[in-house]
Amino acid sequence: MPRAVARLSPRVGRPLLGAALMHCLAPDWVLLRPPSPMRRLAWAEEAVAVYRALVEAEEPRPRHRDLLARALIQHASALLLVGRYEQACTAMEASLAVPGARWSSAQRAALLHLRAQAQFDLGRHDEALAPAGECVAAYRRLVPTRRERALGGLPGALRTYALVLGALGRTEESVAAYEECAGLLRAMSLRELGRALVVRARVLSELTAGLRDLGRHEEALTVGREALEAADRILVWSLPGTVRPLRIRLLVDLARCHEATGNLPTARTTADEAVAEARTLTDRNPPAGRRWLTVTLDCLADLLAELEERAEELSTRRELADLYAGLDAEQPEVYNPLLAQQLERLADCQQATGDRRATAEATERSVAAYRRAADHNPLYEPELARVLANLSLCRQDDGDLDGAVTVAREAVALTRRLAESDWPTYHALTARRLGVLGRGLRHGGDYAAAVACYEESESILRDVMEGAETDRHASALAAAQSGLAVSLAAAARAHLACGHCAEAVAELRCLLALTRRTDQTDVHALCVTTFADARAEHGEVAVEAWRRATGEGFPTFVYRLSVTGAWTSPPGRS
């Protein structure tokens, strides 16, 4: 009817139509399903057009300029709802540029709030902090009239401020803002709360997440139960696209909190409920539902792992990997790393069940995903190097020695390149990757190359351990020395078997030198065994070769000089 009047008599009908549209944009309704964002946007655009026409008329009234500025604020709010953040900023600037418009304190506070929301949604968190704080301060100073309540209030402003603080990593301040906001919402009357039901559910849910991040799990569980009551089935029916994801996230947070407090059965039940909610959302909104389903399945799989329910964990991780593979085609830069990480976990699960072939296949897929991720972002190259080393070990266990050596060489080369830009971190990792390569070469019979890898690995680790991190690398050094001892012993035996006595003596001398610089019992035992076997199996040939090379008699036992100068036997041997 107002549209018809506006067409027939613009002078009378346009103000009437503008008032009707503004009432639709800022209704005084309670417990009614709100209009869709696109409908709100259409009303806002029409209201702006109506008031702009009134302002551009021959004799515009001052009130029309005020209403145009207010309509532009509503237009900016509607644009935020549909994700058009840059256009929302433009609408805000246009509202400020209306000549002669009179601004109330509530309108200025609302504009600050919208600017903070727009900057936050654009990822400009540093820029959003100032308007968010100013908005909170403005609302503390004023009490909006009934007509201005639809523009916003202190609870909504506090929530936005808390969101910005959380995004900036200031979690304690963010939780404090959420707690103040929750206190205001709890103090509201039923009529006031009727207009803030969604804000209440959001605030309590986000407060639960913040408390969990701070490790305050018991408090998070208490607030989380209150949040579940706030995001009830009626609210889900009213706003399914907003409230159901809220419930899913909340259930995941609660499951993680139960896990942290040691209540694994309840955590499992809560995670199952979260998965069921996500499946329902997937049926109704597949794009959004699949993303939330990955979050819930990841939580459930971790809990199944802790409960040692391997069969269910394996099926869950397979489903999760398939979901990530589907999402990877849509947003590879986001889901490639997540797919790679999930395939790693799937490989771990399959390894625990003893399926070595499936473990190798999952690790190969993880390598491929990390390659794609590294192509998009070089920050994933360290992960690629690590998984290449894992794949080499899998192939070694599966008997594919050529493939194992190939990927191990790639892992070493990539780690060396990373060490050029971050020596303290990747120099020691180079030693570990050399150990993986050495193992593959030794299993393939290339003992000389294996010895070279282990010797370089030992040298790097000794160099690193001259600093302050001796204990951190002690196990890696022990592994490198054990691998070197096995490789030297195998090389010596191989040379003796082929009649290359001079080469065998060189390997035995290196083994003896290694024995005298380490306290490892296994190295000492292997040295004694190797010398004894060499003499027993090759007799005077080995003895004579040793005498020619060293000018000394062939050792019949292995001792090393202690710090005090007394001769001692190797640890664990008499």
Side-chain angles (χ1 to χ4, degrees):
M1 187 179 292
R3 287 192 181 107
V5 174
R7 286 194 300 270
L8 295 172
S9 177
R11 186 179 181 84
V12 175
R14 280 176 179 166
L16 182 61
L17 176 58
L21 289 166
M22 292 297 286
H23 182 72
C24 289
L25 288 167
D28 196 24
W29 305 333
V30 176
L31 298 178
L32 292 179
R33 186 192 290 267
S36 68
M38 293 308 298
R39 175 167 289 189
R40 285 192 61 178
L41 179 59
W43 286 341
E45 289 172 345
E46 188 176 1
V48 168
V50 167
Y51 285 119
R52 199 181 294 283
L54 288 170
V55 168
E56 292 172 355
E58 293 182 3
E59 297 181 1
R61 298 179 181 176
R63 175 173 170 74
H64 293 160
R65 294 189 177 92
D66 300 343
L67 290 169
L68 175 58
R70 189 182 180 106
L72 284 164
I73 292 176
Q74 293 291 351
H75 187 210
S77 178
L79 288 166
L80 285 177
L81 289 175
V82 297
R84 290 155 63 175
Y85 308 123
E86 292 288 1
Q87 290 174 276
C89 292
T90 303
M92 291 178 222
E93 296 302 323
S95 69
L96 289 171
V98 175
R102 294 166 296 185
W103 286 76
S104 68
S105 298
Q107 284 177 282
R108 293 190 182 280
L111 192 64
L112 285 168
H113 191 188
L114 291 175
R115 180 172 287 115
Q117 287 179 312
Q119 299 290 359
F120 176 82
D121 290 330
L122 287 168
R124 304 169 187 167
H125 302 140
D126 289 326
E127 297 177 40
L129 184 60
E134 291 171 20
C135 174
V136 169
Y139 275 119
R140 290 192 196 281
R141 293 192 299 267
L142 65 90
V143 178
T145 63
R146 180 176 177 180
R147 181 167 164 249
E148 292 175 328
R149 282 176 190 161
L151 292 173
L154 182 55
L158 279 167
R159 175 184 176 256
T160 300
Y161 186 47
L163 279 172
V164 175
L165 288 169
L168 291 172
R170 295 161 62 174
T171 308
E172 290 188 5
E173 295 172 77
S174 174
V175 167
Y178 275 125
E179 288 177 327
E180 182 182 356
C181 184
L184 290 172
L185 291 166
R186 292 185 186 108
M188 283 184 174
S189 66
L190 287 176
R191 179 177 177 80
E192 291 172 324
L193 194 58
R195 301 184 187 87
L197 291 174
V198 178
V199 173
R200 176 172 172 250
R202 281 174 167 164
V203 166
L204 292 173
S205 175
E206 290 157 7
L207 175 56
T208 301
L211 290 168
R212 177 195 156 200
D213 289 342
L214 291 177
R216 295 158 59 180
H217 299 113
E218 293 292 349
E219 294 175 70
L221 288 170
T222 301
V223 175
R225 296 185 192 100
E226 184 182 359
L228 276 179
E229 293 177 4
D232 58 16
R233 298 297 177 182
I234 296 176
L235 204 59
V236 171
W237 169 83
S238 177
L239 291 166
T242 300
V243 182
R244 194 178 295 280
L246 205 67
R247 280 183 62 88
I248 294 169
R249 175 187 172 183
L250 181 59
L251 287 165
V252 170
D253 284 332
L254 288 174
R256 294 295 191 186
C257 289
H258 283 302
E259 177 188 12
T261 56
N263 191 351
L264 293 181
T266 305
R268 161 77 190 276
T269 303
T270 309
D272 282 331
E273 189 177 350
V275 170
E277 290 274 7
R279 293 195 193 282
T280 301
L281 181 61
T282 303
D283 293 338
R284 300 180 182 182
N285 184 353
R290 285 197 300 270
R291 288 167 173 77
W292 279 110
L293 188 55
T294 60
V295 176
T296 58
L297 287 173
D298 185 56
C299 175
L300 178 59
D302 289 346
L303 289 167
L304 291 169
E306 288 197 56
L307 291 166
E308 297 184 357
E309 298 180 14
R310 297 299 180 192
E312 290 186 63
E313 182 196 356
L314 186 58
S315 64
T316 303
R317 293 206 183 279
R318 281 175 177 157
E319 180 183 1
L320 191 51
D322 291 341
L323 274 171
Y324 277 131
L327 292 167
D328 176 57
E330 301 172 12
Q331 289 182 282
E333 68 283 357
V334 174
Y335 288 101
N336 259 324
L338 295 172
L339 171 61
Q341 184 184 63
Q342 195 53 232
L343 287 167
E344 272 193 90
R345 294 179 180 176
L346 176 60
D348 291 340
C349 186
Q350 288 167 329
Q351 187 173 30
T353 62
D355 192 342
R356 293 195 300 183
R357 184 171 296 278
T359 301
E361 289 174 357
T363 308
E364 286 173 359
R365 290 177 62 196
S366 179
V367 166
Y370 271 128
R371 284 193 199 282
R372 296 193 296 271
D375 289 340
H376 282 100
N377 189 344
L379 289 175
Y380 291 105
E381 287 183 345
E383 301 300 321
L384 174 59
R386 178 178 55 79
V387 180
L388 282 167
N390 291 343
L391 178 58
S392 176
L393 293 172
C394 288
R395 286 181 173 176
Q396 290 175 40
D397 293 340
D398 207 29
D400 180 10
L401 299 179
D402 290 338
V405 169
T406 299
V407 294
R409 289 190 192 280
E410 185 181 357
V412 170
L414 183 53
T415 309
R416 287 191 198 279
R417 183 159 60 79
L418 291 167
E420 293 174 3
S421 58
D422 188 355
W423 185 261
T425 301
Y426 295 105
H427 189 45
L429 282 175
T430 302
R432 295 172 186 265
R433 307 280 154 75
L434 281 166
V436 174
L437 176 57
R439 182 175 184 261
L441 290 166
R442 186 180 77 238
H443 288 324
D446 192 349
Y447 302 122
V451 166
C453 286
Y454 282 121
E455 285 179 338
E456 184 182 358
S457 177
E458 182 191 18
S459 175
I460 290 172
L461 290 166
R462 284 190 178 279
D463 180 55
V464 171
M465 290 174 68
E466 288 180 1
E469 296 185 340
T470 302
D471 294 340
R472 179 182 174 188
H473 300 292
S475 62
L477 177 61
Q481 290 175 332
S482 294
L484 177 57
V486 174
S487 299
L488 288 168
R493 289 189 177 98
H495 285 311
L496 285 170
C498 296
H500 301 155
C501 296
E503 290 85 348
V505 168
E507 303 296 353
L508 289 171
R509 293 177 74 181
C510 290
L511 180 58
L512 187 58
L514 171 63
T515 304
R516 289 174 175 170
R517 67 174 180 264
T518 182
D519 289 322
Q520 286 183 235
T521 304
D522 63 317
V523 174
H524 288 237
L526 182 61
C527 182
V528 171
T529 303
T530 303
F531 272 84
D533 290 346
R535 182 163 190 162
E537 294 174 12
H538 299 279
E540 290 304 314
V541 174
V543 171
E544 183 59 29
W546 181 273
R547 185 179 295 113
R548 285 198 305 268
T550 65
E552 301 174 357
F554 192 84
T556 57
F557 52 85
V558 181
Y559 287 115
R560 60 191 296 271
L561 192 62
S562 71
V563 177
T564 61
W567 289 95
T568 58
S569 61
R573 305 185 72 85
S574 58

